[in-house]
Amino acid sequence: MDRPAWAPPGIDISVPSVSRIYDYYLGGSHNFEVDRQAARRAMEFLPGLPKIMQANRAFMRRAVRHAVAEGITQFLDIGSGIPTFGNVHEVARQASPQARVVYVDHDPVAVAHSRAVLAGDELSAIASADLRKPRSVLQSPEVERLLDLDRPVALLLVAVLHFLEDEDDPYGAVAELRDALAPGSLLVLTHASYEGLPVPQEEASGTVGVYRDMRSPLVMRSREEVARFFDGFDLVEPGLVPMPHWRPESPEDLAAPEDPYAFAGFAGVGRTT
């Protein structure tokens, strides 16, 4: 297998990557055949996975615009993956040209490609750090250089917490990040769930098995379990809802009835007090 120029040396391109699979779902080009094969296996059980990812990205963009409308111009996007069109810094800058964004990921492909995309952008950066170690995120040079944690920040945990198992203490990680944020900060979150899927749980569990085989367990949590991540935050209207139901801006945001997969999982935004 030939190694493309954007793939950093030292990574095993014969092993599928969650971030590259996500890129494939979104129609991106930064993925390998091994990623596409894994994605297609997952789609045998949940053929609407690309629609779920599209709804996820659409929610993220609406939440970023909401944050800017609330006066927030600092963004910390953890588990950001491989940059695609309409990423956080692009959406935020449309409303606030001085918006500052720090992306965080522990996937070397995502980090390397992000650095290439952000080269020359003095208001954005990518940090190589792990959500399971919040201090490594908060003390990263990129966060210390670009973000003022004494002022409100929008913390984005979009489609990432479901890759943390309970033994990784995801609730503790979110709480530690929350306690480092200034009052008025926002938590922007999406999470996978069996709830809302248009197929039986037994069938959907086949997709969970594909990710488990990749050693990237996908943890499907209930609405109640997802809501616990907002402890210490005040949920903004309309609360914790299917992604298209969070402040739709157009009929496309609300999604058509023939796209039931878009309504799987949950999205919400909370504010610190």
Side-chain angles (χ1 to χ4, degrees):
M1 183 185 302
D2 294 332
R3 180 182 295 273
W6 54 264
I11 68 162
D12 187 349
I13 62 176
S14 68
V15 176
S17 154
V18 167
S19 62
R20 297 195 306 263
I21 290 172
Y22 187 75
D23 176 71
Y24 172 73
Y25 289 144
L26 291 174
S29 59
H30 290 86
N31 50 77
F32 304 125
E33 181 57 28
V34 67
D35 305 305
R36 296 187 283 274
Q37 289 175 355
R40 287 192 287 266
R41 286 199 302 273
M43 290 169 62
E44 290 176 6
F45 304 98
L46 292 176
L49 279 169
K51 178 57 64 177
I52 295 174
M53 307 311 168
Q54 292 164 18
N56 186 78
R57 296 287 296 183
F59 160 76
M60 180 274 289
R61 290 190 286 266
R62 298 196 302 277
V64 167
R65 287 191 287 268
H66 169 75
V68 175
E70 293 291 304
I72 295 177
T73 58
Q74 302 187 106
F75 297 84
L76 179 58
D77 184 1
I78 303 178
S80 51
I82 295 173
T84 57
F85 175 75
N87 217 325
V88 174
H89 69 285
E90 295 173 328
V91 177
R93 299 265 173 79
Q94 290 176 354
S96 177
Q98 296 304 307
R100 295 171 177 262
V101 179
V102 176
Y103 296 104
V104 179
D105 210 294
H106 71 284
D107 183 330
V109 173
V111 172
H113 190 58
S114 297
R115 284 178 178 152
V117 169
L118 299 173
D121 186 339
E122 296 182 355
L123 298 180
S124 299
I126 175 72
S128 178
D130 194 325
L131 172 58
R132 291 168 291 191
K133 301 176 181 177
R135 187 167 299 180
S136 73
V137 174
L138 297 169
Q139 295 180 349
S140 68
E142 294 80 9
V143 167
E144 292 183 344
R145 176 171 61 88
L146 283 175
L147 303 184
D148 178 1
L149 297 183
D150 291 327
R151 295 174 47 238
V153 172
L155 169 63
L156 280 73
L157 298 175
V158 176
V160 63
L161 286 166
H162 47 235
F163 291 113
L164 270 62
E165 297 181 278
D166 288 345
E167 63 191 45
D168 295 319
D169 191 17
Y171 296 104
V174 174
E176 187 171 344
L177 291 165
R178 177 201 66 210
D179 292 345
L181 300 178
S185 293
L186 296 179
L187 170 62
V188 177
L189 182 153
T190 65
H191 199 293
S193 177
Y194 286 120
E195 297 178 35
L197 284 172
V199 298
Q201 179 173 329
E202 294 75 17
E203 184 175 342
S205 64
T207 291
V208 174
V210 171
Y211 281 90
R212 183 177 59 249
D213 292 343
M214 292 166 43
R215 298 183 180 178
S216 298
L218 176 61
V219 182
M220 307 289 264
R221 294 188 169 97
S222 67
R223 186 183 187 282
E224 181 180 356
E225 289 170 324
V226 176
R228 282 183 54 201
F229 288 114
F230 287 97
D231 286 353
F233 294 89
D234 292 331
L235 275 167
V236 304
E237 291 294 335
L240 187 61
V241 295
M243 292 177 288
H245 287 164
W246 199 90
R247 303 195 178 197
E249 297 171 347
S250 68
E252 290 75 19
D253 287 336
L254 195 54
E258 61 266 26
D259 292 325
Y261 279 96
F263 296 87
F266 296 102
V269 175
R271 181 184 293 107
T272 58
T273 56

